[in-house]
């Protein structure tokens, strides 16, 4: 009896294991099918209209059409007559054949030189560190972009004003673009209402190479002040040089010679109040 019971137990245990194994195989097969179907839906194919190649990403198809499909090899080895359709193939050729030589290639179509180290640095930068804003969760690739965002944008009021109309924004480039589109054939610059300084669009485009000393100077006939633009000199003569402060704060006795100083004063001292200035000479109201 004991042997028969043991045989029955072993048989039941074997059947149970077989059932569990069958369930596992069925479940694994279903998961594999669902994953493959998900990947097929998720990974959209981009077929080449000229050949049978297909690509997962659109930029891979664009690169294929531009450099490979039906195109002659354009990346030349600088040390021999070898040419390839891809820069990476030219780099590999130089490393293997022309050892201890500078790894670069020549694009014979665009007449450009592509350096392997620069390409590597660009890829490394693309995968590099990210800088997060703690206030709005925006992400930046450079720390200086995050610093600029915190100083001028995140939670800050617009400070860069168009000198020809009431347009105001948080970025200087936005004012430069606005002037080029709306106020054509005029000088491109912006006014910082916080620091009361002017910033030239051309100077910004040339990364600081173009300086104020390169511009024509307009001298004030009454004082030693000089200006880069004639309208700045005219404003100086009309409102500042030898003139009494004429722009009054509407909420207190503060008075200054420039409207923008009143705007800044109201924003800093009279928060949640209407921002405008009163001209005590012409009895006019100016809004930013």
């Amino acid at each position: 009896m004991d042997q028969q019971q043991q045989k029955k137990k072993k048989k039941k245990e074997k059947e149970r294991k077989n059932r569990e194994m069958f369930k596992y195989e069925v479940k694994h097969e279903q998961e594999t099918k669902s994953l493959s179907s998900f990947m097929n839906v998720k990974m959209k194919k981009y077929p080449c209209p000229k050949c049978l190649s297909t690509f997962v990403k659109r930029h891979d198809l664009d690169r294929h059409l531009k450099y490979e499909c039906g195109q002659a090899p354009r990346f030349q080895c600088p040390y021999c007559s070898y040419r390839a359709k891809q820069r990476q193939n030219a780099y590999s050729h130089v490393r293997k054949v022309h050892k201890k030589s500078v790894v670069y290639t020549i694009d014979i179509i665009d007449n450009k030189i592509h350096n392997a180290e620069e390409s590597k640095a660009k890829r490394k930068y693309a995968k590099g560190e990210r800088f997060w804003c703690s206030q709005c969760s925006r992400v930046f690739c450079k720390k200086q972009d995050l610093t600029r965002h915190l100083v001028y944008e995140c939670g800050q009021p617009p400070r860069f004003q168009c000198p020809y109309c009431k347009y105001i924004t948080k970025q200087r480039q936005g004012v430069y673009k606005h002037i080029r589109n709306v106020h054509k054939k005029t000088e491109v610059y912006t006014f910082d209402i916080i620091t009361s300084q002017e910033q030239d669009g051309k100077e910004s485009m040339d990364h600081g190479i173009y300086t104020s000393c390169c511009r024509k100077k307009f001298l004030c006939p009454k004082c030693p002040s000089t200006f880069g633009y004639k309208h700045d000199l005219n404003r100086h003569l009309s409102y500042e040089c030898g003139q009494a402060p004429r722009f009054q704060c509407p909420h207190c006795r503060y008075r200054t010679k420039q409207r923008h100083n009143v705007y800044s004063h109201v924003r800093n001292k009279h928060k949640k109040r209407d921002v405008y200035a009163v001209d005590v000479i012409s009895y006019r109201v100016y809004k930013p």
Side-chain angles (χ1 to χ4, degrees):
M1 284 295 292
D2 293 336
Q3 291 180 355
Q4 290 180 353
Q5 289 179 354
Q6 288 179 359
K7 286 182 179 180
K8 287 182 180 180
K9 285 183 179 180
K10 288 181 179 179
K11 187 177 181 180
K12 289 181 179 180
E13 185 69 20
K14 188 176 182 179
E15 290 176 352
R16 185 182 65 81
K17 289 182 178 180
N18 289 336
R19 286 195 301 270
E20 290 179 356
M21 181 62 68
F22 177 76
K23 289 180 181 180
Y24 172 80
E25 291 176 351
V26 171
K27 185 178 179 181
H28 179 69
E29 184 178 0
Q30 290 177 349
E31 290 178 350
T32 304
K33 288 182 178 179
S34 61
L35 180 61
S36 62
S37 61
F38 172 79
M39 293 298 292
N40 290 332
V41 173
K42 199 72 177 172
M43 298 174 65
K44 184 179 179 181
K45 301 295 183 181
Y46 292 92
C48 175
K50 299 179 181 180
C51 66
L52 299 177
S53 301
T54 57
F55 301 90
V56 175
K57 298 180 181 180
R58 181 61 184 265
H59 64 79
D60 293 333
L61 173 61
D62 295 337
R63 188 204 68 246
H64 169 75
L65 292 172
K66 183 177 180 180
Y67 297 109
E68 300 169 8
C69 191
Q71 305 293 330
R74 61 189 292 173
F75 298 105
Q76 172 86 45
C77 171
Y79 308 107
C80 68
S81 59
Y82 175 84
R83 286 185 186 178
K85 292 185 177 182
Q86 295 184 357
R87 290 201 303 265
Q88 296 300 327
N89 292 342
Y91 299 152
S92 300
H93 163 80
V94 173
R95 291 188 181 99
K96 292 179 181 179
V97 179
H98 310 285
K99 297 179 180 179
K100 296 182 180 180
S101 299
V102 180
V103 182
Y104 71 99
T105 182
I106 302 171
D107 188 340
I108 61 175
I109 303 297
D110 294 339
N111 294 324
K112 291 182 178 180
I113 294 177
H114 298 276
N115 190 290
E117 294 300 326
E118 292 180 358
S119 301
K120 184 178 179 181
K122 289 180 180 179
R123 292 195 300 271
K124 184 178 179 181
Y125 172 73
K127 299 178 182 179
E129 187 179 2
R130 296 291 186 266
F131 299 93
W132 296 78
C133 175
S134 59
Q135 300 182 29
C136 66
S137 299
R138 284 189 61 183
V139 187
F140 300 90
C141 296
K142 296 181 181 180
K143 190 173 182 179
Q144 64 190 39
D145 294 335
L146 172 61
T147 303
R148 187 205 68 244
H149 169 72
L150 292 172
V151 173
Y152 296 108
E153 300 171 8
C154 192
Q156 304 295 329
R159 60 188 291 175
F160 299 105
Q161 177 151 4
C162 171
Y164 308 109
C165 67
K166 297 180 180 180
Y167 178 80
I168 189 171
T169 183
K170 293 183 178 182
Q171 296 182 354
R172 292 196 300 266
Q173 297 298 331
V175 179
Y176 301 152
K177 185 177 180 181
H178 162 79
I179 293 175
R180 293 186 180 102
N181 293 333
V182 180
H183 310 286
K184 298 178 180 179
K185 297 182 180 181
T186 58
E187 296 181 31
V188 180
Y189 72 101
T190 181
F191 187 84
D192 188 339
I193 62 176
I194 303 297
T195 61
S196 300
Q197 293 181 351
E198 293 179 357
Q199 295 175 343
D200 189 4
K202 188 174 181 180
E203 182 177 350
S204 175
M205 289 175 62
D206 294 341
H207 305 287
I209 297 176
Y210 182 91
T211 58
S212 59
C213 63
C214 300
R215 291 184 290 186
K216 183 179 179 181
K217 299 294 184 180
F218 294 90
L219 303 177
C220 175
K222 300 180 180 179
C223 70
S225 300
T226 58
F227 301 89
Y229 301 100
K230 190 173 182 179
H231 62 80
D232 293 333
L233 173 61
N234 294 334
R235 188 201 67 242
H236 170 73
L237 293 172
S238 300
Y239 299 107
E240 300 170 7
C241 190
Q243 306 293 326
R246 59 187 293 174
F247 297 104
Q248 171 94 35
C249 171
H251 309 295
C252 69
R253 295 182 179 181
Y254 176 80
R255 191 177 291 186
T256 182
K257 293 183 178 182
Q258 295 184 359
R259 294 199 304 267
H260 298 286
N261 292 340
V262 178
Y263 302 153
S264 300
H265 164 80
V266 174
R267 291 188 179 97
N268 294 330
K269 300 297 183 180
H270 309 286
K271 297 178 180 179
K272 298 182 180 180
R273 293 287 194 94
D274 293 336
V275 180
Y276 64 97
V278 179
D279 188 341
V280 297
I281 303 298
S282 61
Y283 299 103
R284 293 178 59 183
V285 174
Y286 294 93
K287 292 185 178 181

